[in-house]
Amino acid sequence: PWLVWTLSTIQIAVFIAELVNMGKYTGSPIATKPSFNPMIGPSSYVLINMGARFTPCMHPIKGITDDSSINFPCPNSTSLDTNVCTLTELCGMNAMGMGVDAEGTLDPRQWWRFITSIFLHAGFVHIIFNLLLQLKLGADLERDIGVIRFFVVYMASGIGGFLLGGNFTPDGIASSGASGSLFGIIALDLLDLIFNWETYKNPARVLLIHIVEIVISFVIGLLPGLDNFSHIGGFIIGILLGTALLRSPLKIRDPEGMSFKGIRTADGSDDKSFSFKGIFGGASDAGSPQTIRDRSKRWYVWGAVRLAALGLVVIYFALLIANFEKGGGSCSWCKYLSCLPVYDWCDSGTISTTTN
Ligand SMILES: *[C@@H]1O[C@H](CO)[C@@H](O)[C@H](O)[C@H]1NC(C)=O
């Protein structure tokens, strides 16, 4: 599974670069001031500077990006009361995408943060947990469904998750991590189970394990520096794209439980698909005219389901991108989907701005 290894290698390299930068800026690779980063990693300012999803760098926000008298923390900041940087300096990336509009107002457009943030992690706890899941589940799935489908779902889920968070988390909160992509992968695994229920030895037990995994991940997503919107968005995209791209359910392909040996699957997908491990063997009369008619009807029905799922993916991206361009949605309680209201965690990501 070379893709999973490549992605993981990039993520580790980027994390090391984060620690080096953090050390260079503040003298300590781990953020302890102004607040300890419970993920055990760099400050959110360094994460923002290196490409985390941070909406003020990505689209104009009334009262924040258009007010040049506001000062922001610097990447080297270790306290809340010494904001001396401009937004452009905080966003970094050689000020790419940080131009001005026709009126001379700052017009931040670092849209690629929806992608780069997938490769940044908030700390050791975050990256270790993600890599364990990625190397275990991701490697299996890459083998089963092939590099292309795996890559498409991985990227679309990651971006889809950050897009949801970009619309609904408070603008001051930066977000990073591959968790959205991994939730897409978890969704694929869940679909595999549901589509091929009959082929599992103990499907109920497998389902239970899936549910436990998902619940644990959602709880971890409540920690600061993580973004549960990524999980929710990634999971939605994973389910939809999985429905569109994976081999059709066994019940559709073979409702009588007969064999497909030597016969190309009705949905035309290749055989490099989810695990069958030769459970279904033997000859059958699957080629009789009656069965072929049945099968072509099912083929159309499932084809319609696939198209609908694909349509929903397009609508999801179109609506959220359009809404983001217009300034994003707002939702006062939404932040609690993404943090626990203990200590000051729900506010610790808030970039406090000062005017002079
Ligand atoms: C942090 O960087 C800013 C500008 O990049 C600089 O003005 C400031 O002195 C630096 N602060 C520290 C503590 O090094």
Side-chain angles (χ1 to χ4, degrees):
W2 59 267
L3 181 60
V4 161
W5 290 341
T6 307
L7 293 168
S8 305
T9 307
I10 295 172
Q11 281 152 352
I12 292 170
V14 170
F15 185 63
I16 292 170
E18 287 172 29
L19 297 177
V20 169
N21 270 347
M22 181 67 187
K24 211 171 64 191
Y25 284 134
T26 69
S28 154
I30 308 294
T32 52
K33 291 176 291 184
S35 58
F36 183 73
N37 174 350
M39 288 290 133
I40 313 179
S43 68
S44 49
Y45 312 134
V46 167
L47 289 168
I48 290 167
N49 195 251
M50 291 183 68
R53 194 224 69 207
F54 182 62
T55 54
C57 304
M58 302 168 77
H59 65 184
I61 301 170
K62 253 197 175 50
I64 296 183
T65 61
D66 58 1
D67 183 349
S68 59
S69 67
I70 295 180
N71 282 332
F72 287 82
C74 305
N76 64 8
S77 292
T78 52
S79 73
L80 288 174
D81 52 6
T82 52
N83 294 346
V84 293
C85 280
T86 62
L87 182 57
T88 302
E89 286 172 296
L90 175 64
C91 295
M93 304 188 134
N94 294 320
M96 258 192 307
M98 298 297 286
V100 292
D101 64 14
E103 280 99 59
T105 318
L106 183 67
D107 187 34
R109 296 287 172 192
Q110 295 186 334
W111 52 266
W112 56 83
R113 286 172 181 270
F114 284 127
I115 302 164
T116 50
S117 46
I118 296 173
F119 299 95
L120 289 158
H121 286 84
F124 280 99
V125 178
H126 191 195
I127 194 168
I128 288 172
F129 181 82
N130 273 0
L131 284 185
L132 285 180
L133 193 68
Q134 178 161 302
L135 290 170
K136 179 180 164 276
L137 198 59
D140 282 350
L141 265 161
E142 186 188 333
R143 257 186 236 108
D144 280 343
I145 69 176
V147 166
I148 293 173
R149 280 188 284 186
F150 183 87
F151 185 69
V152 167
V153 174
Y154 191 93
M155 295 308 291
S157 300
I159 295 168
F162 283 122
L163 203 49
L164 194 65
N167 273 278
F168 296 113
T169 36
D171 287 313
I173 291 181
S175 172
S176 61
S179 316
S181 298
L182 293 176
F183 259 80
I185 299 304
I186 289 175
L188 286 189
D189 212 34
L190 192 65
L191 286 182
D192 176 45
L193 172 65
I194 294 166
F195 286 2
N196 301 302
W197 188 264
E198 298 83 354
T199 69
Y200 278 81
K201 226 180 182 168
N202 200 341
R205 204 184 123 233
V206 180
L207 182 64
L208 192 71
I209 293 173
H210 278 65
I211 291 171
V212 169
E213 269 174 7
I214 291 168
V215 169
I216 289 177
S217 308
F218 270 107
V219 171
I220 288 175
L222 294 170
L223 294 171
L226 295 177
D227 178 2
N228 247 0
F229 283 102
S230 302
H231 300 176
I232 298 164
F235 194 73
I236 293 170
I237 295 297
I239 293 285
L240 292 176
L241 266 187
T243 304
L245 299 179
L246 293 181
R247 219 179 175 206
S248 51
L250 191 61
K251 276 236 159 31
I252 303 273
R253 266 178 290 146
D254 187 11
E256 299 90 19
M258 288 169 175
S259 155
F260 275 86
K261 202 171 183 181
I263 295 167
R264 205 159 164 75
T265 52
D267 60 11
S269 69
D270 56 25
D271 277 326
K272 199 177 168 198
S273 156
F274 272 113
S275 41
F276 274 89
K277 294 163 187 134
I279 291 167
F280 287 76
S284 77
D285 64 351
S288 74
Q290 180 64 41
T291 320
I292 286 172
R293 213 173 306 124
D294 271 4
R295 198 188 303 156
S296 81
K297 203 171 111 200
R298 292 196 302 272
W299 189 91
Y300 284 115
V301 170
W302 191 249
V305 171
R306 282 182 199 275
L307 273 183
L310 210 54
L312 287 175
V313 172
V314 172
I315 290 170
Y316 176 102
F317 278 99
L319 284 183
L320 286 180
I321 289 173
N323 193 53
F324 187 77
E325 288 292 306
K326 276 189 294 185
S330 64
C331 153
S332 56
W333 55 269
C334 282
K335 64 178 183 178
Y336 295 109
L337 281 177
S338 194
C339 73
L340 289 168
V342 291
Y343 304 113
D344 57 351
W345 285 2
C346 287
D347 303 313
S348 66
T350 307
I351 297 286
S352 54
T353 55
T354 54
T355 29
N356 54 13

PDB file of all heavy atoms in Angstrom, residues 264-286:
ATOM      1  N   ARG A 264     -18.643 -11.514 -15.308  1.00  0.00           N
ATOM      2  CA  ARG A 264     -18.310 -10.170 -14.892  1.00  0.00           C
ATOM      3  C   ARG A 264     -19.464  -9.604 -14.076  1.00  0.00           C
ATOM      4  O   ARG A 264     -20.625  -9.857 -14.343  1.00  0.00           O
ATOM      5  CB  ARG A 264     -18.090  -9.294 -16.120  1.00  0.00           C
ATOM      6  CG  ARG A 264     -17.201  -8.164 -15.780  1.00  0.00           C
ATOM      7  CD  ARG A 264     -16.549  -7.556 -17.005  1.00  0.00           C
ATOM      8  NE  ARG A 264     -16.037  -6.274 -16.597  1.00  0.00           N
ATOM      9  CZ  ARG A 264     -14.948  -6.132 -15.856  1.00  0.00           C
ATOM     10  NH1 ARG A 264     -14.280  -7.177 -15.456  1.00  0.00           N
ATOM     11  NH2 ARG A 264     -14.534  -4.933 -15.510  1.00  0.00           N
ATOM     12  N   THR A 265     -19.134  -8.850 -13.049  1.00  0.00           N
ATOM     13  CA  THR A 265     -20.192  -8.335 -12.179  1.00  0.00           C
ATOM     14  C   THR A 265     -21.087  -7.390 -12.952  1.00  0.00           C
ATOM     15  O   THR A 265     -20.663  -6.705 -13.872  1.00  0.00           O
ATOM     16  CB  THR A 265     -19.595  -7.591 -10.989  1.00  0.00           C
ATOM     17  OG1 THR A 265     -18.683  -6.634 -11.502  1.00  0.00           O
ATOM     18  CG2 THR A 265     -18.881  -8.549 -10.069  1.00  0.00           C
ATOM     19  N   ALA A 266     -22.349  -7.390 -12.543  1.00  0.00           N
ATOM     20  CA  ALA A 266     -23.359  -6.641 -13.276  1.00  0.00           C
ATOM     21  C   ALA A 266     -23.058  -5.150 -13.318  1.00  0.00           C
ATOM     22  O   ALA A 266     -23.409  -4.457 -14.264  1.00  0.00           O
ATOM     23  CB  ALA A 266     -24.725  -6.864 -12.644  1.00  0.00           C
ATOM     24  N   ASP A 267     -22.413  -4.661 -12.277  1.00  0.00           N
ATOM     25  CA  ASP A 267     -22.197  -3.213 -12.257  1.00  0.00           C
ATOM     26  C   ASP A 267     -20.947  -2.823 -13.040  1.00  0.00           C
ATOM     27  O   ASP A 267     -20.581  -1.666 -13.083  1.00  0.00           O
ATOM     28  CB  ASP A 267     -22.113  -2.697 -10.823  1.00  0.00           C
ATOM     29  CG  ASP A 267     -20.971  -3.331 -10.064  1.00  0.00           C
ATOM     30  OD1 ASP A 267     -20.131  -3.997 -10.699  1.00  0.00           O
ATOM     31  OD2 ASP A 267     -20.917  -3.164  -8.855  1.00  0.00           O
ATOM     32  N   GLY A 268     -20.318  -3.815 -13.620  1.00  0.00           N
ATOM     33  CA  GLY A 268     -19.182  -3.509 -14.471  1.00  0.00           C
ATOM     34  C   GLY A 268     -17.920  -3.146 -13.716  1.00  0.00           C
ATOM     35  O   GLY A 268     -16.909  -2.830 -14.315  1.00  0.00           O
ATOM     36  N   SER A 269     -17.988  -3.183 -12.393  1.00  0.00           N
ATOM     37  CA  SER A 269     -16.779  -2.831 -11.657  1.00  0.00           C
ATOM     38  C   SER A 269     -15.794  -3.983 -11.748  1.00  0.00           C
ATOM     39  O   SER A 269     -16.161  -5.127 -11.989  1.00  0.00           O
ATOM     40  CB  SER A 269     -17.109  -2.552 -10.194  1.00  0.00           C
ATOM     41  OG  SER A 269     -17.491  -3.747  -9.566  1.00  0.00           O
ATOM     42  N   ASP A 270     -14.541  -3.647 -11.562  1.00  0.00           N
ATOM     43  CA  ASP A 270     -13.555  -4.698 -11.667  1.00  0.00           C
ATOM     44  C   ASP A 270     -13.576  -5.565 -10.419  1.00  0.00           C
ATOM     45  O   ASP A 270     -14.281  -5.304  -9.472  1.00  0.00           O
ATOM     46  CB  ASP A 270     -12.158  -4.136 -11.919  1.00  0.00           C
ATOM     47  CG  ASP A 270     -11.774  -3.138 -10.845  1.00  0.00           C
ATOM     48  OD1 ASP A 270     -12.309  -3.235  -9.725  1.00  0.00           O
ATOM     49  OD2 ASP A 270     -10.969  -2.252 -11.147  1.00  0.00           O
ATOM     50  N   ASP A 271     -12.773  -6.610 -10.470  1.00  0.00           N
ATOM     51  CA  ASP A 271     -12.808  -7.531  -9.351  1.00  0.00           C
ATOM     52  C   ASP A 271     -11.853  -7.135  -8.233  1.00  0.00           C
ATOM     53  O   ASP A 271     -11.828  -7.740  -7.180  1.00  0.00           O
ATOM     54  CB  ASP A 271     -12.486  -8.943  -9.832  1.00  0.00           C
ATOM     55  CG  ASP A 271     -13.727  -9.614 -10.386  1.00  0.00           C
ATOM     56  OD1 ASP A 271     -14.830  -9.350  -9.850  1.00  0.00           O
ATOM     57  OD2 ASP A 271     -13.608 -10.363 -11.354  1.00  0.00           O
ATOM     58  N   LYS A 272     -11.079  -6.088  -8.489  1.00  0.00           N
ATOM     59  CA  LYS A 272     -10.121  -5.620  -7.487  1.00  0.00           C
ATOM     60  C   LYS A 272     -10.909  -4.788  -6.493  1.00  0.00           C
ATOM     61  O   LYS A 272     -10.837  -3.572  -6.449  1.00  0.00           O
ATOM     62  CB  LYS A 272      -9.077  -4.755  -8.180  1.00  0.00           C
ATOM     63  CG  LYS A 272      -7.812  -4.607  -7.363  1.00  0.00           C
ATOM     64  CD  LYS A 272      -6.824  -3.801  -8.151  1.00  0.00           C
ATOM     65  CE  LYS A 272      -5.671  -3.374  -7.267  1.00  0.00           C
ATOM     66  NZ  LYS A 272      -4.941  -2.275  -7.871  1.00  0.00           N
ATOM     67  N   SER A 273     -11.730  -5.449  -5.744  1.00  0.00           N
ATOM     68  CA  SER A 273     -12.698  -4.743  -4.939  1.00  0.00           C
ATOM     69  C   SER A 273     -12.729  -5.364  -3.561  1.00  0.00           C
ATOM     70  O   SER A 273     -11.806  -6.065  -3.171  1.00  0.00           O
ATOM     71  CB  SER A 273     -14.035  -4.822  -5.648  1.00  0.00           C
ATOM     72  OG  SER A 273     -15.070  -4.666  -4.762  1.00  0.00           O
ATOM     73  N   PHE A 274     -13.787  -5.105  -2.858  1.00  0.00           N
ATOM     74  CA  PHE A 274     -13.799  -5.541  -1.476  1.00  0.00           C
ATOM     75  C   PHE A 274     -13.685  -7.053  -1.295  1.00  0.00           C
ATOM     76  O   PHE A 274     -14.118  -7.833  -2.117  1.00  0.00           O
ATOM     77  CB  PHE A 274     -15.034  -5.026  -0.763  1.00  0.00           C
ATOM     78  CG  PHE A 274     -14.775  -3.683  -0.203  1.00  0.00           C
ATOM     79  CD1 PHE A 274     -15.437  -2.583  -0.693  1.00  0.00           C
ATOM     80  CD2 PHE A 274     -13.811  -3.512   0.768  1.00  0.00           C
ATOM     81  CE1 PHE A 274     -15.174  -1.330  -0.193  1.00  0.00           C
ATOM     82  CE2 PHE A 274     -13.554  -2.268   1.271  1.00  0.00           C
ATOM     83  CZ  PHE A 274     -14.228  -1.175   0.784  1.00  0.00           C
ATOM     84  N   SER A 275     -13.126  -7.386  -0.189  1.00  0.00           N
ATOM     85  CA  SER A 275     -12.726  -8.739   0.150  1.00  0.00           C
ATOM     86  C   SER A 275     -13.804  -9.778  -0.041  1.00  0.00           C
ATOM     87  O   SER A 275     -14.852  -9.736   0.596  1.00  0.00           O
ATOM     88  CB  SER A 275     -12.305  -8.740   1.609  1.00  0.00           C
ATOM     89  OG  SER A 275     -13.210  -7.941   2.335  1.00  0.00           O
ATOM     90  N   PHE A 276     -13.538 -10.695  -0.915  1.00  0.00           N
ATOM     91  CA  PHE A 276     -14.445 -11.828  -1.014  1.00  0.00           C
ATOM     92  C   PHE A 276     -13.777 -13.116  -0.621  1.00  0.00           C
ATOM     93  O   PHE A 276     -14.378 -14.028  -0.114  1.00  0.00           O
ATOM     94  CB  PHE A 276     -15.034 -11.909  -2.418  1.00  0.00           C
ATOM     95  CG  PHE A 276     -16.220 -11.032  -2.480  1.00  0.00           C
ATOM     96  CD1 PHE A 276     -16.082  -9.710  -2.839  1.00  0.00           C
ATOM     97  CD2 PHE A 276     -17.454 -11.499  -2.069  1.00  0.00           C
ATOM     98  CE1 PHE A 276     -17.161  -8.862  -2.818  1.00  0.00           C
ATOM     99  CE2 PHE A 276     -18.525 -10.655  -2.054  1.00  0.00           C
ATOM    100  CZ  PHE A 276     -18.391  -9.333  -2.438  1.00  0.00           C
ATOM    101  N   LYS A 277     -12.490 -13.146  -0.894  1.00  0.00           N
ATOM    102  CA  LYS A 277     -11.675 -14.261  -0.411  1.00  0.00           C
ATOM    103  C   LYS A 277     -12.256 -15.607  -0.820  1.00  0.00           C
ATOM    104  O   LYS A 277     -12.221 -16.580  -0.071  1.00  0.00           O
ATOM    105  CB  LYS A 277     -11.508 -14.176   1.101  1.00  0.00           C
ATOM    106  CG  LYS A 277     -10.697 -12.937   1.466  1.00  0.00           C
ATOM    107  CD  LYS A 277     -10.812 -12.538   2.906  1.00  0.00           C
ATOM    108  CE  LYS A 277     -10.138 -11.211   3.162  1.00  0.00           C
ATOM    109  NZ  LYS A 277     -10.910 -10.288   3.954  1.00  0.00           N
ATOM    110  N   GLY A 278     -12.858 -15.622  -1.977  1.00  0.00           N
ATOM    111  CA  GLY A 278     -13.316 -16.888  -2.531  1.00  0.00           C
ATOM    112  C   GLY A 278     -14.366 -17.604  -1.713  1.00  0.00           C
ATOM    113  O   GLY A 278     -14.487 -18.830  -1.778  1.00  0.00           O
ATOM    114  N   ILE A 279     -15.137 -16.859  -0.958  1.00  0.00           N
ATOM    115  CA  ILE A 279     -16.163 -17.505  -0.145  1.00  0.00           C
ATOM    116  C   ILE A 279     -17.248 -18.088  -1.052  1.00  0.00           C
ATOM    117  O   ILE A 279     -17.789 -19.162  -0.809  1.00  0.00           O
ATOM    118  CB  ILE A 279     -16.765 -16.501   0.847  1.00  0.00           C
ATOM    119  CG1 ILE A 279     -15.709 -16.156   1.899  1.00  0.00           C
ATOM    120  CG2 ILE A 279     -18.022 -17.064   1.502  1.00  0.00           C
ATOM    121  CD1 ILE A 279     -16.047 -14.981   2.742  1.00  0.00           C
ATOM    122  N   PHE A 280     -17.538 -17.334  -2.139  1.00  0.00           N
ATOM    123  CA  PHE A 280     -18.571 -17.803  -3.035  1.00  0.00           C
ATOM    124  C   PHE A 280     -17.958 -18.524  -4.214  1.00  0.00           C
ATOM    125  O   PHE A 280     -17.236 -17.931  -5.012  1.00  0.00           O
ATOM    126  CB  PHE A 280     -19.409 -16.632  -3.524  1.00  0.00           C
ATOM    127  CG  PHE A 280     -20.297 -16.102  -2.463  1.00  0.00           C
ATOM    128  CD1 PHE A 280     -19.770 -15.317  -1.450  1.00  0.00           C
ATOM    129  CD2 PHE A 280     -21.641 -16.422  -2.440  1.00  0.00           C
ATOM    130  CE1 PHE A 280     -20.578 -14.844  -0.452  1.00  0.00           C
ATOM    131  CE2 PHE A 280     -22.442 -15.944  -1.437  1.00  0.00           C
ATOM    132  CZ  PHE A 280     -21.923 -15.160  -0.433  1.00  0.00           C
ATOM    133  N   GLY A 281     -18.181 -19.766  -4.293  1.00  0.00           N
ATOM    134  CA  GLY A 281     -17.612 -20.513  -5.401  1.00  0.00           C
ATOM    135  C   GLY A 281     -18.675 -21.390  -6.042  1.00  0.00           C
ATOM    136  O   GLY A 281     -19.841 -21.316  -5.691  1.00  0.00           O
ATOM    137  N   GLY A 282     -18.261 -22.212  -6.962  1.00  0.00           N
ATOM    138  CA  GLY A 282     -19.190 -23.169  -7.551  1.00  0.00           C
ATOM    139  C   GLY A 282     -19.955 -22.619  -8.736  1.00  0.00           C
ATOM    140  O   GLY A 282     -20.015 -21.420  -8.956  1.00  0.00           O
ATOM    141  N   ALA A 283     -20.575 -23.535  -9.491  1.00  0.00           N
ATOM    142  CA  ALA A 283     -21.285 -23.131 -10.689  1.00  0.00           C
ATOM    143  C   ALA A 283     -22.689 -22.641 -10.333  1.00  0.00           C
ATOM    144  O   ALA A 283     -23.179 -22.829  -9.235  1.00  0.00           O
ATOM    145  CB  ALA A 283     -21.394 -24.322 -11.644  1.00  0.00           C
ATOM    146  N   SER A 284     -23.320 -22.009 -11.284  1.00  0.00           N
ATOM    147  CA  SER A 284     -24.681 -21.547 -11.028  1.00  0.00           C
ATOM    148  C   SER A 284     -25.392 -21.325 -12.352  1.00  0.00           C
ATOM    149  O   SER A 284     -24.780 -21.398 -13.412  1.00  0.00           O
ATOM    150  CB  SER A 284     -24.646 -20.239 -10.264  1.00  0.00           C
ATOM    151  OG  SER A 284     -24.337 -19.204 -11.155  1.00  0.00           O
ATOM    152  N   ASP A 285     -26.667 -21.028 -12.286  1.00  0.00           N
ATOM    153  CA  ASP A 285     -27.407 -20.735 -13.515  1.00  0.00           C
ATOM    154  C   ASP A 285     -27.591 -19.221 -13.674  1.00  0.00           C
ATOM    155  O   ASP A 285     -28.558 -18.768 -14.235  1.00  0.00           O
ATOM    156  CB  ASP A 285     -28.764 -21.436 -13.485  1.00  0.00           C
ATOM    157  CG  ASP A 285     -29.630 -20.911 -12.367  1.00  0.00           C
ATOM    158  OD1 ASP A 285     -29.114 -20.137 -11.530  1.00  0.00           O
ATOM    159  OD2 ASP A 285     -30.825 -21.257 -12.338  1.00  0.00           O
ATOM    160  N   ALA A 286     -26.620 -18.474 -13.135  1.00  0.00           N
ATOM    161  CA  ALA A 286     -26.731 -17.018 -13.154  1.00  0.00           C
ATOM    162  C   ALA A 286     -26.838 -16.454 -14.566  1.00  0.00           C
ATOM    163  O   ALA A 286     -27.174 -15.302 -14.753  1.00  0.00           O
ATOM    164  CB  ALA A 286     -25.536 -16.390 -12.442  1.00  0.00           C
TER     165      ALA A 286
END
